[in-house]
Amino acid sequence: MSRAASGAERTIVMTGASRGIGRVAARRILTEQPRSHLVLLSRTAPHELLEEFAAIDGTVSTIHTELSSLQSVADATDEVVARARSGDLPPIHTLVCNAGVQHTNALTETIDGFESTFAVNVLANHVLVRRLQDHLHAHASLVITVSDTHFGDLRHNLGMVPGPRWQPVGTLARVGAFPKPAGTTAGRIAYSTSKLAAIYLVHEYARRLPATWRIAGYNPGFVPGTALARDADACSRFAMRRVMPLLTVTPLAASVGDAGRFLADAALGALEAPRGGYIDRSRIAPSSTASYDPQRERETWEAVEALTADFLPKTAKGDIDAHHRHHGGE
C-alpha cells in the first residue's frame, strides 16, 4: 500500500527543515495537520530528526537535494512529481522554500557557476516553484522565507547586515558583484540583496501563478541561535549562539521556537496575508519601500527565467507568459 493510500490527505514539500526554524516549523505542521505527508528536500536528514518527526502522527520522507546544484533541485522535483503521479504521495498542497545561506564572502561559486548565496536563496527556489507549479493543488500555498535585512536599516537588523546594493540580476548571480568580494561585508550584502530579489519574485509569482494560490513571503526577523552564521568567524558564531539569544526577551529578536511556529502558521494559512504579501513574524506588514518596484520585479523574473532556463520544463516559459498577458499583467 502506498503512503498516500495509508491515510495522508495532502503533501507538503519543504526545504530547510533539518535545523533551526525549519525544524520547529516542520514539527508544528505535522502536529497541526497530522494527516499530511511532509517531503523534506535536504542534503542531510539526521536519523534523530526522522525519529523525532516519526513520533508525530504524520508521514515524512526525504529526497536528497543539493540546493546549490540546480540539476539536483530539478531531479528532486522530478521525484516528487513521479511519486505524486503514481499515488505514492497525496496531492501537493503546500510548498515551503525555507532554506537559505549566508557566506563570509561574495566569491563562493556553485557547480553551475553562480554565486552561491544568490543561487540558493533565489535560483533554487525559482526552479522548485516553476517545476512544481503544474502539479500543485488548485488551492495551493507557496511560502518563501525572506528577511528584513532587505530594509537595510538599524531598526531591522541591528546594524549587523548592510542593506542591499541592487544591480542587474545577471551581475548579482555571479561572484564578485560587490566591492572587496573576499570580505565578510560583501557576503552579507550578497545575502540582503538576495532577499530583496526573493521579495521581487514573490510579487511576480502573485501576478503570474494561479489566482487561487496563497502566496507570501515570510520574514522570521532576527533569530539568534540558528545555523545561518555557521560560516562566520569564531567570535561572530559565539555571539550569535550565546550572546544574541538574550535579545529574544525584547522586541528586537525572535526565538527559534517562535520564528518556527510563525513559519508553520504562514504555511498552514493561520496567518492570512494578501496575495504576494509580507508576513513579518506573526503579523502582516509592508516590506521596504524599495521592494515595491514593478519594473525591477519584472526584470528580476525575466532574468531569473533566463538563468534557470536549462532547468525549467520546456513548455513552462511560454505557457506562463501567455497566461500573464491574458490576465493583463504588466
Side-chain angles (χ1 to χ4, degrees):
M1 185 188 309
S2 71
R3 288 187 176 89
S6 68
E9 296 178 342
R10 63 183 60 202
T11 294
I12 298 169
V13 179
M14 185 173 182
T15 67
S18 63
R19 57 167 68 94
I21 68 173
R23 187 168 182 163
V24 173
R27 187 166 58 239
R28 181 174 175 85
I29 286 169
L30 289 171
T31 301
E32 294 295 316
Q33 288 194 346
R35 302 195 68 185
S36 296
H37 188 130
L38 182 62
V39 177
L40 309 179
L41 305 185
S42 178
R43 182 174 58 187
T44 59
H47 182 67
E48 69 273 11
L49 173 73
L50 299 180
E51 284 189 334
E52 174 187 329
F53 290 162
I56 306 171
D57 188 16
T59 307
V60 180
S61 60
T62 62
I63 297 175
H64 177 81
T65 313
E66 295 278 354
L67 292 173
S68 60
S69 164
L70 297 186
Q71 185 61 60
S72 178
V73 175
D75 292 343
T77 59
D78 287 349
E79 184 172 341
V80 171
V81 170
R83 291 180 60 186
R85 284 175 170 168
S86 72
D88 188 49
L89 291 176
I92 307 168
H93 277 250
T94 305
L95 173 58
V96 182
C97 298
N98 176 62
V101 297
Q102 178 179 313
H103 294 289
T104 55
N105 59 69
L107 292 174
T108 305
E109 192 172 48
T110 70
I111 192 172
D112 301 307
F114 298 119
E115 191 279 317
S116 178
T117 309
F118 200 87
V120 174
N121 296 354
V122 181
L123 301 182
N125 288 344
H126 190 70
V127 172
L128 281 172
V129 171
R130 298 287 276 113
R131 290 184 74 92
L132 289 177
Q133 70 181 56
D134 292 335
H135 307 281
L136 267 66
H137 191 273
H139 297 281
S141 296
L142 169 62
V143 177
I144 294 180
T145 298
V146 291
S147 169
D148 55 6
T149 59
H150 83 278
F151 279 89
D153 58 17
L154 182 65
R155 183 168 71 89
H156 287 91
N157 58 48
L158 306 179
M160 294 188 298
V161 180
R165 295 188 186 179
W166 192 253
Q167 300 183 63
V169 170
T171 300
L172 297 175
R174 306 296 177 179
V175 297
F178 305 105
K180 300 181 180 179
T184 299
T185 297
R188 291 174 177 169
I189 294 172
Y191 178 79
S192 62
T193 306
S194 75
K195 292 301 185 177
L196 178 58
I199 293 174
Y200 287 150
L201 284 179
V202 167
H203 295 164
E204 279 297 294
Y205 294 151
R207 292 188 181 102
R208 295 172 182 267
L209 298 182
T212 53
W213 286 18
R214 289 191 301 109
I215 299 172
Y218 166 71
N219 165 50
F222 175 54
V223 188
T226 70
L228 187 61
R230 57 188 176 273
D231 293 330
D233 61 86
C235 182
S236 296
R237 293 198 307 271
F238 177 82
M240 281 291 288
R241 293 174 181 172
R242 303 298 182 187
V243 180
M244 295 301 183
L246 299 175
L247 293 174
T248 58
V249 299
T250 76
L252 297 176
S255 69
V256 172
D258 283 345
R261 177 164 53 87
F262 299 148
L263 172 58
D265 289 347
L268 297 174
L271 289 173
E272 191 62 44
R275 185 172 163 84
Y278 182 77
I279 299 175
D280 180 11
R281 290 169 280 194
S282 62
R283 66 190 183 94
I284 312 305
S287 48
S288 71
T289 300
S291 71
Y292 298 98
D293 187 325
Q295 180 175 339
R296 280 189 184 177
E297 291 160 6
R298 183 176 62 252
E299 290 173 352
T300 301
W301 166 275
E302 292 172 350
V304 169
E305 283 278 289
L307 291 169
T308 61
D310 290 344
F311 306 95
L312 300 184
K314 298 306 179 185
T315 59
K317 186 179 189 303
D319 289 349
I320 203 164
D321 285 349
H323 171 85
H324 185 53
R325 289 192 299 271
H326 176 72
H327 289 278
E330 295 175 349

